[in-house]
Amino acid sequence: MGNAADTALIKVVNLGKSFDVSEPFLQRVVTRSGRKIVKAVDGVSFSIERGTTFSIVGESGCGKSTITRLVAGLDRPTAGEIAFNTPDAAPVRLQMVFQDPIGSLNPRWRIGRSIAEPMDRALDGNARRERVGELLKTVGLAPADAGKYPHEFSGGQRQRISIARALAADAELLLLDEPTSALDVSVQSQVLNLLKDLQERLGLTYLFISHNLSVVRFLTDRIGVMYLGRLVEEGAGQAVFDTPQHPYTKLLLETIPDMENPKRDRAPLTGDLPSPLKPPSGCVFHPRCPLAMEVCSTVRPELQVAENGSNVACHAVAQSVVAALPLNRYAAV
């Protein structure tokens, strides 16, 4: 990953997570079937520098949220490691901001209590109330809102409350799992502006999960594109958007609406996502790839540095064939 790993807050190396989705034992005996193992995450590596945003994008089921749960410690990896760079190897302070804010807030608790829950227990009542008020103002709400219940707020306001609660624990790393996908477009922009402002003011580090590439471009410093549990491209956000290298990244970027040229010619992403129970051999994307070659079906490509500085896992890129796929207007996204 180059020099990024030297000052990284978090470094993920060859991360893997498998799930046993087999039928019950007796049913396997009757049907004479073996175990079924899904590799949700397969050999993923990346690092995140302090004060920056690393975004992971891809189709549903590619393993984005699984990585978030692994980093949060909610699941244990079956391979690889997650290392945090903190003074004296102290535990990193991290918090999650979920997709559905109403589901992450206790409906029977007033907002002030929810925000105060992760605070240092050494703080007395007055100090906690003052801190809650400060956090509410930080996310654009009023201190008086602490006495209200979650149902009294809009979706965007509830997401602000979730962010305030994450900050209450003095978190330095926020895991943002689709934090704006359930919000209206206008509210999305408000929350994204808030996240960007907080990062600049507080030096926060973000791991941002999203399928919305327009959202990702606004917030990200580096981006990882996942397909069926593997990273196919990883690099600086500007480079990936302006000069995408992997065929899947190019086709994924074609899904972004272009208001200036809505009837442009687009290369559709054909075929269905393969079953994770039986992933294709070699490059997992080769059954849907417009540049697939014979080697793609037998040899798994490894990440290599491309001309734009991105890390790309593609035999076609390695042979400089990817230029044959038209590049329409990614720089204007």
Side-chain angles (χ1 to χ4, degrees):
M1 298 297 171
N3 294 331
D6 299 336
T7 57
L9 173 62
I10 174 176
K11 185 176 181 181
V12 174
V13 182
N14 294 326
L15 189 65
K17 179 60 180 179
S18 299
F19 293 98
D20 189 338
V21 294
S22 308
E23 292 88 355
F25 175 73
L26 291 179
Q27 186 174 345
R28 296 204 309 272
V29 171
V30 173
T31 59
R32 297 183 179 180
S33 59
R35 288 186 174 276
K36 296 180 180 179
I37 305 297
V38 171
K39 289 186 176 181
V41 178
D42 187 8
V44 170
S45 298
F46 61 86
S47 61
I48 311 178
E49 287 191 87
R50 294 178 184 275
T52 67
T53 299
F54 183 82
S55 300
I56 301 178
V57 301
E59 294 175 275
S60 297
C62 70
K64 306 186 300 293
S65 293
T66 301
I67 289 179
T68 306
R69 293 180 61 84
L70 292 171
V71 173
L74 300 177
D75 290 326
R76 289 188 175 183
T78 51
E81 65 175 345
I82 302 170
F84 296 102
N85 181 17
T86 56
D88 301 322
V92 69
R93 300 187 304 277
L94 62 85
Q95 289 288 319
M96 290 190 70
V97 177
F98 297 93
Q99 177 179 353
D100 181 12
I102 191 63
S104 64
L105 296 172
N106 190 327
R108 298 184 178 182
W109 285 10
R110 298 180 190 273
I111 292 305
R113 182 180 177 185
S114 293
I115 295 175
E117 184 186 20
M119 288 183 184
D120 188 343
R121 298 298 177 184
L123 294 176
D124 60 28
N126 290 331
R128 293 167 75 87
R129 282 190 291 272
E130 289 180 6
R131 176 64 173 153
V132 168
E134 292 173 359
L135 289 170
L136 285 171
K137 288 192 291 185
T138 297
V139 298
L141 297 175
D145 290 331
K148 299 179 181 178
Y149 290 94
H151 71 270
E152 299 181 70
F153 296 90
S154 67
Q157 290 174 324
R158 287 194 289 262
Q159 197 61 286
R160 290 171 180 267
I161 292 166
S162 297
I163 295 170
R165 186 176 59 180
L167 298 178
D170 294 322
E172 53 191 318
L173 172 63
L174 294 190
L175 310 179
L176 306 166
D177 190 358
E178 302 274 10
T180 62
S181 62
L183 306 175
D184 294 336
V185 175
S186 60
V187 181
Q188 282 186 12
S189 64
Q190 295 173 13
V191 173
L192 290 171
N193 284 323
L194 171 64
L195 289 171
K196 198 172 188 68
D197 177 63
L198 290 174
Q199 185 174 55
E200 293 174 354
R201 285 196 286 137
L202 304 178
L204 300 173
T205 305
Y206 295 153
L207 173 58
F208 191 87
I209 306 298
S210 181
H211 65 274
N212 188 327
L213 291 168
S214 298
V215 168
V216 167
R217 177 159 196 176
F218 175 77
L219 197 63
T220 196
D221 293 289
R222 295 188 70 83
I223 182 173
V225 182
M226 285 192 70
Y227 185 80
L228 215 62
R230 302 177 185 176
L231 274 181
V232 297
E233 185 163 354
E234 187 275 336
Q238 192 71 31
V240 172
F241 276 95
D242 290 352
T243 55
Q245 300 294 302
H246 197 281
Y248 176 64
T249 306
K250 289 193 171 187
L251 294 171
L252 201 62
L253 287 170
E254 283 288 0
T255 64
I256 300 178
D258 186 354
M259 300 302 293
E260 297 181 358
N261 187 19
K263 296 183 179 181
R264 71 189 188 281
D265 292 332
R266 293 190 291 178
L269 183 58
T270 59
D272 297 324
L273 188 71
S275 169
L277 285 171
K278 294 181 179 179
S281 59
C283 174
V284 290
F285 184 60
H286 85 262
R288 307 170 73 186
C289 181
L291 301 179
M293 302 176 290
E294 184 177 351
V295 67
C296 300
S297 62
T298 57
V299 180
R300 173 176 173 172
E302 300 297 332
L303 289 172
Q304 300 182 47
V305 180
E307 291 182 357
N308 68 344
S310 297
N311 301 294
V312 186
C314 178
H315 294 299
V317 171
Q319 296 186 22
S320 300
V321 179
V322 76
L325 194 62
L327 176 62
N328 292 327
R329 49 85 188 118
Y330 301 119
V333 174

PDB file of all heavy atoms in Angstrom, residues 233 237-246 249-250 253 307-310 327 330-331:
ATOM      1  N   GLU A 233      -9.933  -3.314  -7.222  1.00  0.00           N
ATOM      2  CA  GLU A 233      -9.206  -2.072  -7.464  1.00  0.00           C
ATOM      3  C   GLU A 233      -9.175  -1.259  -6.178  1.00  0.00           C
ATOM      4  O   GLU A 233     -10.162  -1.204  -5.451  1.00  0.00           O
ATOM      5  CB  GLU A 233      -9.852  -1.257  -8.592  1.00  0.00           C
ATOM      6  CG  GLU A 233      -9.074  -0.009  -8.971  1.00  0.00           C
ATOM      7  CD  GLU A 233      -9.474   0.565 -10.318  1.00  0.00           C
ATOM      8  OE1 GLU A 233     -10.291  -0.073 -11.025  1.00  0.00           O
ATOM      9  OE2 GLU A 233      -8.981   1.651 -10.678  1.00  0.00           O
ATOM     10  N   GLY A 237      -9.047   8.260  -4.434  1.00  0.00           N
ATOM     11  CA  GLY A 237     -10.383   8.459  -4.964  1.00  0.00           C
ATOM     12  C   GLY A 237     -10.395   9.178  -6.294  1.00  0.00           C
ATOM     13  O   GLY A 237     -11.100   8.775  -7.230  1.00  0.00           O
ATOM     14  N   GLN A 238      -9.605  10.253  -6.420  1.00  0.00           N
ATOM     15  CA  GLN A 238      -9.573  11.016  -7.664  1.00  0.00           C
ATOM     16  C   GLN A 238      -9.109  10.149  -8.823  1.00  0.00           C
ATOM     17  O   GLN A 238      -9.668  10.198  -9.926  1.00  0.00           O
ATOM     18  CB  GLN A 238      -8.646  12.220  -7.499  1.00  0.00           C
ATOM     19  CG  GLN A 238      -8.737  13.249  -8.619  1.00  0.00           C
ATOM     20  CD  GLN A 238     -10.047  14.021  -8.593  1.00  0.00           C
ATOM     21  OE1 GLN A 238     -10.607  14.234  -7.524  1.00  0.00           O
ATOM     22  NE2 GLN A 238     -10.532  14.424  -9.762  1.00  0.00           N
ATOM     23  N   ALA A 239      -8.084   9.330  -8.590  1.00  0.00           N
ATOM     24  CA  ALA A 239      -7.546   8.493  -9.658  1.00  0.00           C
ATOM     25  C   ALA A 239      -8.541   7.430 -10.091  1.00  0.00           C
ATOM     26  O   ALA A 239      -8.710   7.174 -11.288  1.00  0.00           O
ATOM     27  CB  ALA A 239      -6.241   7.840  -9.193  1.00  0.00           C
ATOM     28  N   VAL A 240      -9.222   6.809  -9.126  1.00  0.00           N
ATOM     29  CA  VAL A 240     -10.170   5.745  -9.459  1.00  0.00           C
ATOM     30  C   VAL A 240     -11.349   6.302 -10.239  1.00  0.00           C
ATOM     31  O   VAL A 240     -11.826   5.678 -11.198  1.00  0.00           O
ATOM     32  CB  VAL A 240     -10.648   5.027  -8.182  1.00  0.00           C
ATOM     33  CG1 VAL A 240     -11.779   4.054  -8.498  1.00  0.00           C
ATOM     34  CG2 VAL A 240      -9.489   4.281  -7.527  1.00  0.00           C
ATOM     35  N   PHE A 241     -11.841   7.481  -9.868  1.00  0.00           N
ATOM     36  CA  PHE A 241     -12.977   8.060 -10.568  1.00  0.00           C
ATOM     37  C   PHE A 241     -12.588   8.629 -11.936  1.00  0.00           C
ATOM     38  O   PHE A 241     -13.348   8.517 -12.895  1.00  0.00           O
ATOM     39  CB  PHE A 241     -13.631   9.147  -9.715  1.00  0.00           C
ATOM     40  CG  PHE A 241     -14.611   8.608  -8.712  1.00  0.00           C
ATOM     41  CD1 PHE A 241     -14.223   8.347  -7.410  1.00  0.00           C
ATOM     42  CD2 PHE A 241     -15.922   8.349  -9.073  1.00  0.00           C
ATOM     43  CE1 PHE A 241     -15.118   7.847  -6.483  1.00  0.00           C
ATOM     44  CE2 PHE A 241     -16.829   7.848  -8.159  1.00  0.00           C
ATOM     45  CZ  PHE A 241     -16.430   7.595  -6.863  1.00  0.00           C
ATOM     46  N   ASP A 242     -11.428   9.250 -12.030  1.00  0.00           N
ATOM     47  CA  ASP A 242     -11.032   9.894 -13.278  1.00  0.00           C
ATOM     48  C   ASP A 242     -10.464   8.889 -14.287  1.00  0.00           C
ATOM     49  O   ASP A 242     -10.714   9.008 -15.491  1.00  0.00           O
ATOM     50  CB  ASP A 242     -10.004  10.986 -13.017  1.00  0.00           C
ATOM     51  CG  ASP A 242     -10.603  12.194 -12.307  1.00  0.00           C
ATOM     52  OD1 ASP A 242     -11.844  12.235 -12.162  1.00  0.00           O
ATOM     53  OD2 ASP A 242      -9.842  13.084 -11.898  1.00  0.00           O
ATOM     54  N   THR A 243      -9.677   7.937 -13.812  1.00  0.00           N
ATOM     55  CA  THR A 243      -9.058   6.971 -14.718  1.00  0.00           C
ATOM     56  C   THR A 243      -9.218   5.559 -14.157  1.00  0.00           C
ATOM     57  O   THR A 243      -8.234   4.920 -13.766  1.00  0.00           O
ATOM     58  CB  THR A 243      -7.562   7.287 -14.920  1.00  0.00           C
ATOM     59  OG1 THR A 243      -6.910   7.345 -13.630  1.00  0.00           O
ATOM     60  CG2 THR A 243      -7.379   8.594 -15.658  1.00  0.00           C
ATOM     61  N   PRO A 244     -10.449   5.043 -14.080  1.00  0.00           N
ATOM     62  CA  PRO A 244     -10.659   3.686 -13.567  1.00  0.00           C
ATOM     63  C   PRO A 244      -9.935   2.670 -14.437  1.00  0.00           C
ATOM     64  O   PRO A 244      -9.893   2.799 -15.659  1.00  0.00           O
ATOM     65  CB  PRO A 244     -12.182   3.516 -13.652  1.00  0.00           C
ATOM     66  CG  PRO A 244     -12.610   4.455 -14.731  1.00  0.00           C
ATOM     67  CD  PRO A 244     -11.692   5.631 -14.625  1.00  0.00           C
ATOM     68  N   GLN A 245      -9.373   1.655 -13.772  1.00  0.00           N
ATOM     69  CA  GLN A 245      -8.569   0.681 -14.495  1.00  0.00           C
ATOM     70  C   GLN A 245      -9.267  -0.663 -14.670  1.00  0.00           C
ATOM     71  O   GLN A 245      -9.240  -1.242 -15.742  1.00  0.00           O
ATOM     72  CB  GLN A 245      -7.239   0.467 -13.756  1.00  0.00           C
ATOM     73  CG  GLN A 245      -6.393   1.722 -13.625  1.00  0.00           C
ATOM     74  CD  GLN A 245      -5.905   2.234 -14.958  1.00  0.00           C
ATOM     75  OE1 GLN A 245      -5.231   1.526 -15.700  1.00  0.00           O
ATOM     76  NE2 GLN A 245      -6.254   3.474 -15.275  1.00  0.00           N
ATOM     77  N   HIS A 246      -9.891  -1.154 -13.622  1.00  0.00           N
ATOM     78  CA  HIS A 246     -10.515  -2.478 -13.711  1.00  0.00           C
ATOM     79  C   HIS A 246     -11.818  -2.396 -14.507  1.00  0.00           C
ATOM     80  O   HIS A 246     -12.587  -1.431 -14.357  1.00  0.00           O
ATOM     81  CB  HIS A 246     -10.803  -3.016 -12.304  1.00  0.00           C
ATOM     82  CG  HIS A 246     -11.065  -4.489 -12.275  1.00  0.00           C
ATOM     83  ND1 HIS A 246     -12.285  -5.038 -12.628  1.00  0.00           N
ATOM     84  CD2 HIS A 246     -10.259  -5.537 -11.937  1.00  0.00           C
ATOM     85  CE1 HIS A 246     -12.221  -6.348 -12.505  1.00  0.00           C
ATOM     86  NE2 HIS A 246     -11.007  -6.679 -12.099  1.00  0.00           N
ATOM     87  N   THR A 249     -14.825  -1.744 -12.323  1.00  0.00           N
ATOM     88  CA  THR A 249     -14.909  -0.364 -11.845  1.00  0.00           C
ATOM     89  C   THR A 249     -15.489   0.534 -12.921  1.00  0.00           C
ATOM     90  O   THR A 249     -16.345   1.386 -12.651  1.00  0.00           O
ATOM     91  CB  THR A 249     -13.521   0.151 -11.432  1.00  0.00           C
ATOM     92  OG1 THR A 249     -12.937  -0.748 -10.486  1.00  0.00           O
ATOM     93  CG2 THR A 249     -13.613   1.525 -10.808  1.00  0.00           C
ATOM     94  N   LYS A 250     -15.049   0.356 -14.156  1.00  0.00           N
ATOM     95  CA  LYS A 250     -15.571   1.173 -15.258  1.00  0.00           C
ATOM     96  C   LYS A 250     -17.068   0.953 -15.439  1.00  0.00           C
ATOM     97  O   LYS A 250     -17.841   1.909 -15.588  1.00  0.00           O
ATOM     98  CB  LYS A 250     -14.830   0.831 -16.548  1.00  0.00           C
ATOM     99  CG  LYS A 250     -13.391   1.322 -16.583  1.00  0.00           C
ATOM    100  CD  LYS A 250     -12.824   1.225 -17.988  1.00  0.00           C
ATOM    101  CE  LYS A 250     -11.470   1.902 -18.081  1.00  0.00           C
ATOM    102  NZ  LYS A 250     -10.956   1.983 -19.471  1.00  0.00           N
ATOM    103  N   LEU A 253     -19.043   2.537 -12.582  1.00  0.00           N
ATOM    104  CA  LEU A 253     -19.140   3.982 -12.707  1.00  0.00           C
ATOM    105  C   LEU A 253     -20.166   4.395 -13.763  1.00  0.00           C
ATOM    106  O   LEU A 253     -20.709   5.505 -13.708  1.00  0.00           O
ATOM    107  CB  LEU A 253     -17.778   4.574 -13.055  1.00  0.00           C
ATOM    108  CG  LEU A 253     -16.756   4.591 -11.910  1.00  0.00           C
ATOM    109  CD1 LEU A 253     -15.382   4.968 -12.434  1.00  0.00           C
ATOM    110  CD2 LEU A 253     -17.185   5.545 -10.819  1.00  0.00           C
ATOM    111  N   GLU A 307      -0.888   2.246 -14.122  1.00  0.00           N
ATOM    112  CA  GLU A 307      -0.256   3.485 -14.559  1.00  0.00           C
ATOM    113  C   GLU A 307      -0.705   4.690 -13.736  1.00  0.00           C
ATOM    114  O   GLU A 307       0.054   5.630 -13.542  1.00  0.00           O
ATOM    115  CB  GLU A 307      -0.557   3.731 -16.044  1.00  0.00           C
ATOM    116  CG  GLU A 307       0.121   2.734 -16.975  1.00  0.00           C
ATOM    117  CD  GLU A 307      -0.158   3.051 -18.437  1.00  0.00           C
ATOM    118  OE1 GLU A 307      -0.927   4.018 -18.685  1.00  0.00           O
ATOM    119  OE2 GLU A 307       0.382   2.369 -19.307  1.00  0.00           O
ATOM    120  N   ASN A 308      -1.955   4.673 -13.252  1.00  0.00           N
ATOM    121  CA  ASN A 308      -2.454   5.822 -12.491  1.00  0.00           C
ATOM    122  C   ASN A 308      -2.137   5.721 -11.004  1.00  0.00           C
ATOM    123  O   ASN A 308      -2.595   6.545 -10.217  1.00  0.00           O
ATOM    124  CB  ASN A 308      -3.964   5.965 -12.687  1.00  0.00           C
ATOM    125  CG  ASN A 308      -4.749   4.837 -12.041  1.00  0.00           C
ATOM    126  OD1 ASN A 308      -4.193   3.789 -11.698  1.00  0.00           O
ATOM    127  ND2 ASN A 308      -6.044   5.036 -11.875  1.00  0.00           N
ATOM    128  N   GLY A 309      -1.390   4.715 -10.602  1.00  0.00           N
ATOM    129  CA  GLY A 309      -1.009   4.541  -9.206  1.00  0.00           C
ATOM    130  C   GLY A 309      -1.945   3.682  -8.398  1.00  0.00           C
ATOM    131  O   GLY A 309      -1.657   3.367  -7.232  1.00  0.00           O
ATOM    132  N   SER A 310      -3.070   3.281  -8.972  1.00  0.00           N
ATOM    133  CA  SER A 310      -4.011   2.412  -8.267  1.00  0.00           C
ATOM    134  C   SER A 310      -3.492   0.971  -8.252  1.00  0.00           C
ATOM    135  O   SER A 310      -2.675   0.571  -9.092  1.00  0.00           O
ATOM    136  CB  SER A 310      -5.382   2.444  -8.940  1.00  0.00           C
ATOM    137  OG  SER A 310      -5.951   3.738  -8.880  1.00  0.00           O
ATOM    138  N   LEU A 327     -13.851   5.072 -22.324  1.00  0.00           N
ATOM    139  CA  LEU A 327     -13.959   5.917 -21.134  1.00  0.00           C
ATOM    140  C   LEU A 327     -14.738   7.155 -21.555  1.00  0.00           C
ATOM    141  O   LEU A 327     -14.270   7.963 -22.346  1.00  0.00           O
ATOM    142  CB  LEU A 327     -12.563   6.309 -20.633  1.00  0.00           C
ATOM    143  CG  LEU A 327     -12.502   7.270 -19.451  1.00  0.00           C
ATOM    144  CD1 LEU A 327     -13.161   6.628 -18.228  1.00  0.00           C
ATOM    145  CD2 LEU A 327     -11.066   7.635 -19.133  1.00  0.00           C
ATOM    146  N   TYR A 330     -15.979  10.027 -16.971  1.00  0.00           N
ATOM    147  CA  TYR A 330     -15.877   9.799 -15.533  1.00  0.00           C
ATOM    148  C   TYR A 330     -15.362  11.035 -14.797  1.00  0.00           C
ATOM    149  O   TYR A 330     -15.748  11.298 -13.661  1.00  0.00           O
ATOM    150  CB  TYR A 330     -14.944   8.614 -15.256  1.00  0.00           C
ATOM    151  CG  TYR A 330     -15.407   7.353 -15.898  1.00  0.00           C
ATOM    152  CD1 TYR A 330     -14.620   6.692 -16.838  1.00  0.00           C
ATOM    153  CD2 TYR A 330     -16.668   6.821 -15.591  1.00  0.00           C
ATOM    154  CE1 TYR A 330     -15.069   5.532 -17.447  1.00  0.00           C
ATOM    155  CE2 TYR A 330     -17.104   5.661 -16.203  1.00  0.00           C
ATOM    156  CZ  TYR A 330     -16.301   5.030 -17.125  1.00  0.00           C
ATOM    157  OH  TYR A 330     -16.736   3.889 -17.716  1.00  0.00           O
ATOM    158  N   ALA A 331     -14.509  11.825 -15.429  1.00  0.00           N
ATOM    159  CA  ALA A 331     -13.938  12.988 -14.749  1.00  0.00           C
ATOM    160  C   ALA A 331     -14.994  14.024 -14.427  1.00  0.00           C
ATOM    161  O   ALA A 331     -14.803  14.883 -13.589  1.00  0.00           O
ATOM    162  CB  ALA A 331     -12.852  13.613 -15.614  1.00  0.00           C
TER     163      ALA A 331
END
